[in-house]
Amino acid sequence: MFLSLVVTLELRDFLARARGGAVRLIKVRIQDEQLVLGAYREPEESWEKDYDHFLLPLLDEQEPCYVLYRLDSQNAQGYEWIFISWSPDQSPVKQKMLYAATRATVKKEFGGGHLKYEIFGTAEEDVCLLGYQHHVSSCSGPAPLTLAEQELQKIKMSEVKTDISVETKHQTLQGVAFPLQETAKRAMQQLSQKRINYVQLRLDVEKETIELVHSHPTETRDLPRRVPKDSARYHFFLYKHSHEGDYLESVVFIYSMPGYSCSIKERMLYSSCKSRLLEEVEKDYHLEVAKKLEIDDGDELTDEFLYDEVHPKQHAHKQAFAKPRGPAGKRGHKRLIKGTGETILHS
């Protein structure tokens, strides 16, 4: 079952006020199974000058925490922020797992649209100003494309073509279709029969096939370890869980792509093959994919994250039932039907 900690009313109100820009830094801690306000700082100078001066003294070498740090730049929703997950090596494993499992809750509570960058650190050099600048540099665009890569980019851009005219208005997709290798086919068949609960696939670019990596038994807690840090993968996972009192087994498709550590060619091929692969497994193996996810880090795959993706919360107001109006005009004679042996009266 997924873990959901309570956000205290004090923290919720403070986060709402802080988004306006009066606060430079917010520290969030877990205390007594609640997310609480640990500390905050108001701006003194520019964000660069405040950064190390405010942040580093608040980091405990024995205890994880979350830090929200406000930049001076703004987007359509207001000020932009950095979300820092601090998880020092010396902290207890149980605490690390607890903070990793509730990271999505804090981001959702604050509002993901305000977050420009997210940093994870186990040492000060990971999250200090120099560490942040290195992170931004690594997240920036790749090096200029070679001629071959430019050609691949043109192919990618032509995959989605929109044809709109007086007679037609539709979109056509032209994806790359690599066939499933035999062991991969057998694994997908076993997954459809629920004989296994996890399948990991990779592209063999040289052979132009989709190969089986493995189909080891996998629990939700094992998923982060299944995601490679340096190469892309396709994952099919049979997510077993309870929802509103019902036991469910939902197939979740996960496309993991670890950012710019992969070559442009690899990113483009995985992106192009994805749709055709899903079409094939849904058609040939009768797999109903409940949710399709795209991630760049396996740590995102917590039980809470999967549950919220498969069963998104509904915020729509429930409308009161309104009795339908009858037809306009005369409705005919009313009839009163009595019990057995009694007369039927007509008005």
Side-chain angles (χ1 to χ4, degrees), residues 289-343:
V289 179
K291 189 66 182 181
K292 301 163 187 171
L293 303 174
E294 183 171 339
I295 63 167
D296 55 19
D297 189 338
D299 291 338
E300 299 176 46
L301 298 175
T302 63
D303 205 357
E304 179 185 13
F305 174 77
L306 285 180
Y307 185 91
D308 288 343
E309 289 294 328
V310 175
H311 304 287
K313 293 180 175 64
Q314 301 295 327
H315 299 289
H317 296 290
K318 185 177 181 181
Q319 295 182 351
F321 176 75
K323 183 179 179 181
R325 297 182 61 184
K330 190 175 180 180
R331 301 186 61 181
H333 297 293
K334 297 179 181 178
R335 295 187 298 171
L336 177 61
I337 302 176
K338 296 294 185 179
T340 305
E342 299 184 35
T343 59

Side-chain angles (χ1 to χ4, degrees), residues 68 75 79-83 107 110-117:
L68 291 153
N75 61 23
Y79 282 101
E80 295 179 313
W81 294 68
I82 308 168
F83 183 79
K107 291 166 61 178
F110 186 71
H114 296 274
L115 304 179
K116 185 172 184 179
Y117 292 107

Side-chain angles (χ1 to χ4, degrees), residues 200 227-233 235 256-258 261-262 266 270:
Q200 183 177 135
V227 178
K229 299 288 187 182
D230 57 355
S231 57
R233 290 288 189 271
H235 315 256
S256 62
M257 172 58 69
S261 61
C262 297
E266 184 178 3
Y270 270 87

Side-chain angles (χ1 to χ4, degrees), residues 200-216:
Q200 183 177 135
L201 305 173
R202 61 176 286 271
L203 298 185
D204 188 323
V205 178
E206 298 299 323
K207 297 180 182 177
E208 296 189 352
T209 58
I210 300 177
E211 308 280 332
L212 174 68
V213 179
H214 69 81
S215 56
H216 299 158

Side-chain angles (χ1 to χ4, degrees), residues 15-33:
L15 292 178
R17 294 195 304 271
R19 286 193 290 266
V23 175
R24 175 69 76 192
L25 177 149
I26 308 166
K27 179 179 179 179
V28 178
R29 298 175 54 245
I30 296 176
Q31 180 178 317
D32 299 327
E33 297 187 356

